Amino acid sequence: MARNLVFILALTSLCIGLAAADWNILSKKSKNRDASSLKIYCESWRINVELNNIKDFEVVPQECVDHIKHYMTSAQYTADSERAMEEVRLHVSSCCALQGDGKDAWIFDVDDTLLSTIPYYKKHGFGGEKLNATSFEAWMKQSKAPALDHALKFFHEIKDKGVKIFLISSRSETLRSATVENLFNAGYHGWSGLTLRGLEDDFMKVQQYKSEARRALTKEGYRIWGIVGDQWSSVEGLPGAGRTFKLPNSMYYLS
């Protein structure tokens, strides 16, 4: 009888341990997460994307799509983006001894830096669906992406200081006319250069392509004081800048 009791207690303890292990919010195999633990898990996933700890994902985990949707359309996303731009302004106010010789430069990415692709992703799962390049480019050709107001304000502020603005985008060269039209419609004007990916750039990863574009600018004598982008591939690599700033975006990852 005592031996049976010990066996039952041991079996019960083992089952409790297994249940506890299954509940762990960091376990991808957990099937019993409640709403609270799922929210914690998905926010942890989002934060680690922003920290560049989670890389090269093709889609947002299905269980986290609603969480990413909520964040990217929330006041928190707006506040995070605006705070990032405030840090840019603080940096510019104290860091840069602008020469005024036409060689002071600042670089912006385009998508989800100057223009928002959220209207597209609202109809395509907020990153929960694998990107359909044909569909995405068809949407870009409509030239209807809205401006991100926090970036629009800083764009004109830095331009008014006499800094040359260069836009380096991973968009295809075939989208040049649509991109220029969209930028104008959204309130952007007066940039000094717009670099898009040509056929010769297709074999390169985004980071390498953007590094090469910056190298071309430095060879022309430009001093790159800063870079603003929503992807790590926009701000990493050499040559660098005086400082780089990453805007939030956990819908997709471009390497």
Side-chain angles (χ1 to χ4, degrees):
M1 181 67 178
R3 180 176 299 176
N4 289 340
L5 180 59
V6 170
F7 175 76
I8 292 171
L9 289 173
L11 182 61
T12 301
S13 176
L14 177 60
C15 290
I16 292 173
L18 289 173
D22 186 57
W23 178 86
N24 184 352
I25 62 173
L26 297 180
S27 171
K28 294 181 181 179
K29 296 182 180 180
S30 174
K31 297 180 180 179
N32 298 314
R33 299 188 188 108
D34 57 24
S36 177
S37 63
L38 180 60
K39 180 179 179 180
I40 293 171
Y41 168 77
C42 291
E43 181 62 7
S44 176
W45 184 88
R46 187 188 72 79
I47 290 296
N48 277 278
V49 168
E50 299 297 352
L51 293 173
N52 208 26
N53 293 330
I54 295 175
K55 302 183 178 184
D56 297 318
F57 62 91
E58 292 189 346
V59 295
V60 172
Q62 287 302 306
E63 64 268 34
C64 295
V65 168
D66 284 344
H67 184 82
I68 299 304
K69 173 184 177 181
H70 176 74
Y71 173 75
M72 294 299 297
T73 57
S74 70
Q76 187 63 59
Y77 165 74
T78 301
D80 291 345
S81 300
E82 289 177 346
R83 177 56 187 268
M85 296 313 299
E86 282 303 312
E87 293 301 319
V88 177
R89 289 185 177 92
L90 286 172
H91 172 68
V92 170
S93 69
S94 60
C95 78
C96 311
L98 301 179
Q99 303 283 325
D101 58 356
K103 293 297 183 179
D104 297 310
W106 196 279
I107 293 174
F108 291 91
D109 184 17
V110 174
D111 291 311
D112 295 302
T113 299
L114 299 181
L115 301 174
S116 175
T117 67
I118 288 176
Y120 175 84
Y121 281 97
K122 278 183 177 178
K123 298 180 180 179
H124 297 274
F126 280 90
E129 301 174 9
K130 191 171 181 179
L131 181 65
N132 182 317
T134 301
S135 171
F136 194 34
E137 290 194 0
W139 178 80
M140 289 177 171
K141 288 178 180 178
Q142 298 176 24
S143 303
K144 293 182 179 180
L148 289 163
D149 290 340
H150 49 269
L152 179 61
K153 292 175 184 176
F154 178 72
F155 177 97
H156 288 294
E157 289 172 12
I158 196 75
K159 179 168 64 72
D160 290 344
K161 291 180 180 290
V163 175
K164 300 292 184 180
I165 293 176
F166 293 91
L167 313 182
I168 302 177
S169 171
S170 57
R171 287 189 178 200
S172 168
E173 180 64 41
T174 60
L175 293 168
R176 178 171 293 275
S177 294
T179 301
V180 170
E181 179 182 355
N182 199 158
L183 288 164
F184 271 114
N185 291 344
Y188 296 99
H189 54 82
W191 62 82
S192 297
L194 170 62
T195 302
L196 303 176
R197 296 188 79 167
L199 292 175
E200 68 278 9
D201 303 314
D202 283 347
F203 69 94
M204 290 189 283
K205 287 192 171 184
V206 174
Q207 181 178 319
Q208 181 185 358
Y209 152 72
K210 292 196 171 187
S211 293
E212 291 298 328
R214 294 196 300 271
R215 182 169 288 107
L217 291 176
T218 58
K219 285 182 177 180
E220 293 179 25
Y222 287 102
R223 296 175 293 275
I224 303 173
W225 289 105
I227 305 171
V228 179
D230 69 294
Q231 298 290 312
W232 285 98
S233 54
S234 294
V235 300
E236 291 187 325
L238 297 174
R243 189 168 171 189
T244 60
F245 297 86
K246 165 78 167 62
L247 297 178
N249 180 6
S250 43
M251 297 186 295
Y252 56 85
Y253 188 96
L254 299 177
S255 58

